């Protein structure tokens, strides 16, 4: 069976004033229809670059290598006319900065209607208007907001407009880059439920890029953790943070505060240091200078992403020599909460 999305050895390099900058390095994964995968990691880990590459939205100077198949067609070799047809109707993206993505001189109703009109030229004006109203209602905005300009909306309302635009042509795949970051918790819950329903009802694929680990743990079938442009761990949803098999995944879970837990409030835990500069990566495992369990061979050996044992999972993959030797990687503080969270073992 053909995957909805199949990425093999994707490498993305920016060309800057100081030379080539490797932003994504050898990323591979697949996504089935009706499946949700989350991408986590610190700023600069390559998450957004990866997301933008899926619709060829990166600058022309960017070098993209590997294979990127959408329904069996390679996005990287597609002619531009075919690529235009795939964008919006095949796959669409919810961008992180709504104010930068929306046109300030057009009303939001016009902007939501534009992809509908382009991909459905035979649809009449009344039907398009009705569809815009339906989309606004789905993201919790009244129909009269269609007459507003972007600057007349709050940040959260603009983000909801971006989500409505992404849903406009009923795509098979949505790439959501920090889609709910600017929303208040009530609207966030509404939008996340909408995305859940769309995935279930339409068998739509969803890639969620987020700093909010609780959203990824709750929403995603699988979560991939990126560091220094590579996937260093991938596994099932919430288990990724309750039973991590890479010290970086453990550190991300440990940095997440738990409401009502006095230890988490008084002793917030993070990760010392900063991610490496892409043009000056350390030898061996790129995480070893910050790793609390690093060994001597971590500075000389580049670990592959290989299967490791994990509780309640048939398959977890980790790029960590310690985990691959069967040693436990234990979170050092509470992990993202859910109503069914079990004690960490």
């Amino acid at each position: 069976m053909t995957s909805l999305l199949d990425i093999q050895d994707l490498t993305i390099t920016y060309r800057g004033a100081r030379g080539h900058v490797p932003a994504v390095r050898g990323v591979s994964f697949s996504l089935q229809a009706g499946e949700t995968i989350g991408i986590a990691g610190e700023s600069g880990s390559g998450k957004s670059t990866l997301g933008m590459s899926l619709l060829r939205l990166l600058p022309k100077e960017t070098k993209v290598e590997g294979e990127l198949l959408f329904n069996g067609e390679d996005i990287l070799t597609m002619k531009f006319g075919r690529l235009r047809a795939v964008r919006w109707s095949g796959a669409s993206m919810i961008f992180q900065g709504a104010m930068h993505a929306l046109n300030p001189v057009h009303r939001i109703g016009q902007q939501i209607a534009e992809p509908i009109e382009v991909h459905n030229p035979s649809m009449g004006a009344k039907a398009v208007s009705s569809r815009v109203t339906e989309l606004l209602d789905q993201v919790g905005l009244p129909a009269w907001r269609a007459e507003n300009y972007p600057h007349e909306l709050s940040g959260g309302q603009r983000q909801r407009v971006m989500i409505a635009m992404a849903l406009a042509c009923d795509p098979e795949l949505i790439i959501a880059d920090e889609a709910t970051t600017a929303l208040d918790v009530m609207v966030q819950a509404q939008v996340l439920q909408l995305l859940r329903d769309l995935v279930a009802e339409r068998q739509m694929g969803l890639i969620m890029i987020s700093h909010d680990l609780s959203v990824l743990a709750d929403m995603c079938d699988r979560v991939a953790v990126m560091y220094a442009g590579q996937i260093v761990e991938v596994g099932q949803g919430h288990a990724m943070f309750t039973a991590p098999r890479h010290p970086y995944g453990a550190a991300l879970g440990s940095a997440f505060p738990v409401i009502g837990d006095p230890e988490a409030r008084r002793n917030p835990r993070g990760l010392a240091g900063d991610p490496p500069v892409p043009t000056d990566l350390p030898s061996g495992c790129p995480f070893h200078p910050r790793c609390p369990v690093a060994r001597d061979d971590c500075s000389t050996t580049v670990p592959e992403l290989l299967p490791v044992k994990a509780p309640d999972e048939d398959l977890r993959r980790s790029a960590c020599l310690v985990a691959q030797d069967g040693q436990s990687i234990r979170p050092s503080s509470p992990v993202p909460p859910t109503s069914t969270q079990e004690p960490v073992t």
Side-chain angles (χ1 to χ4, degrees):
M1 183 173 122
T2 302
S3 300
L4 178 64
L5 183 69
D6 191 11
I7 300 172
Q8 295 296 326
D9 199 24
L10 185 66
T11 299
I12 302 172
T13 306
Y14 290 111
R15 296 174 186 169
R18 299 183 180 181
H20 298 291
V21 181
V24 172
R25 302 182 298 129
V27 166
S28 299
F29 67 87
S30 61
L31 181 73
Q32 303 298 324
E35 187 181 17
T36 300
I37 187 169
I39 310 290
E42 292 171 281
S43 296
S45 60
K47 306 185 304 298
S48 293
T49 294
L50 173 62
M52 297 277 278
S53 72
L54 303 184
L55 288 174
R56 271 173 47 189
L57 297 174
L58 295 170
K60 290 182 179 179
E61 306 79 39
T62 308
K63 185 178 181 180
V64 183
E65 299 175 292
E67 193 173 62
L68 205 171
L69 302 181
F70 176 69
N71 279 330
E73 293 185 83
D74 195 341
I75 294 285
L76 301 182
T77 59
M78 238 176 228
K79 292 184 178 180
F80 187 67
R82 175 59 184 153
L83 181 63
R84 286 189 64 189
V86 168
R87 289 172 177 170
W88 294 110
S89 62
S92 62
M93 186 162 186
I94 305 170
F95 295 95
Q96 184 172 355
M99 197 58 185
H100 300 294
L102 294 173
N103 191 321
V105 298
H106 289 291
R107 302 179 194 273
I108 65 163
Q110 293 174 286
Q111 297 187 59
I112 297 172
E114 183 177 3
I116 302 173
E117 294 168 341
V118 168
H119 289 276
N120 300 277
S122 61
M123 185 179 287
K126 187 175 180 180
V128 171
S129 178
S130 177
R131 176 62 175 154
V132 169
T133 298
E134 177 188 355
L135 289 163
L136 289 173
D137 180 66
Q138 283 185 326
V139 297
L141 290 174
W144 59 267
R145 284 292 188 184
E147 297 301 314
N148 286 153
Y149 291 95
H151 72 271
E152 297 178 295
L153 304 176
S154 69
Q157 289 171 331
R158 288 194 290 266
Q159 193 65 31
R160 281 184 264 177
V161 172
M162 282 299 308
I163 295 169
M165 290 176 67
L167 298 173
C169 296
D170 294 321
E172 297 175 76
L173 171 68
I174 286 185
I175 305 144
D177 189 0
E178 300 287 357
T180 60
T181 298
L183 306 180
D184 62 69
V185 292
M186 298 300 288
V187 175
Q188 177 180 344
Q190 174 189 347
V191 169
L192 291 177
Q193 187 58 53
L194 170 62
L195 292 174
R196 280 193 197 94
D197 293 342
L198 288 169
V199 169
E201 294 170 8
R202 303 181 189 177
Q203 288 297 288
M204 182 182 74
L206 177 62
I207 296 175
M208 292 200 71
I209 299 168
S210 181
H211 291 96
D212 193 331
L213 303 184
S214 63
V215 168
L216 296 184
D218 186 49
M219 282 284 297
C220 300
D221 302 304
R222 289 181 294 144
V223 174
V225 174
M226 290 190 70
Y227 186 81
Q230 294 179 309
I231 293 178
V232 296
E233 186 177 11
V234 61
Q236 295 175 3
H238 191 261
M240 282 285 294
F241 305 108
T242 57
R245 289 297 178 266
H246 193 285
Y248 183 58
L252 290 179
S254 298
F256 196 94
V258 176
I259 296 173
D261 183 81
E263 183 179 353
R265 188 183 77 242
R266 295 169 187 163
N267 300 293
R269 298 176 188 243
L271 186 63
D274 297 307
V277 178
T279 53
D280 189 23
L281 295 172
S283 61
C285 173
F287 184 62
H288 87 263
R290 304 172 74 193
C291 181
V293 298
R295 311 179 312 202
D296 290 343
D297 56 346
C298 293
S299 63
T300 58
T301 304
V302 179
E304 297 180 58
L305 190 64
L306 297 175
V308 294
K309 292 182 179 179
D312 304 321
E313 282 196 60
D314 294 330
L315 180 64
R316 174 81 65 84
R317 290 188 295 154
S318 173
C320 176
L321 298 178
V322 176
Q324 289 167 10
D325 284 347
Q327 298 181 44
S328 177
I329 307 293
R330 186 180 178 88
S332 56
S333 69
V335 296
T338 67
S339 57
T340 59
Q341 180 174 328
E342 298 291 334
V344 177
T345 57

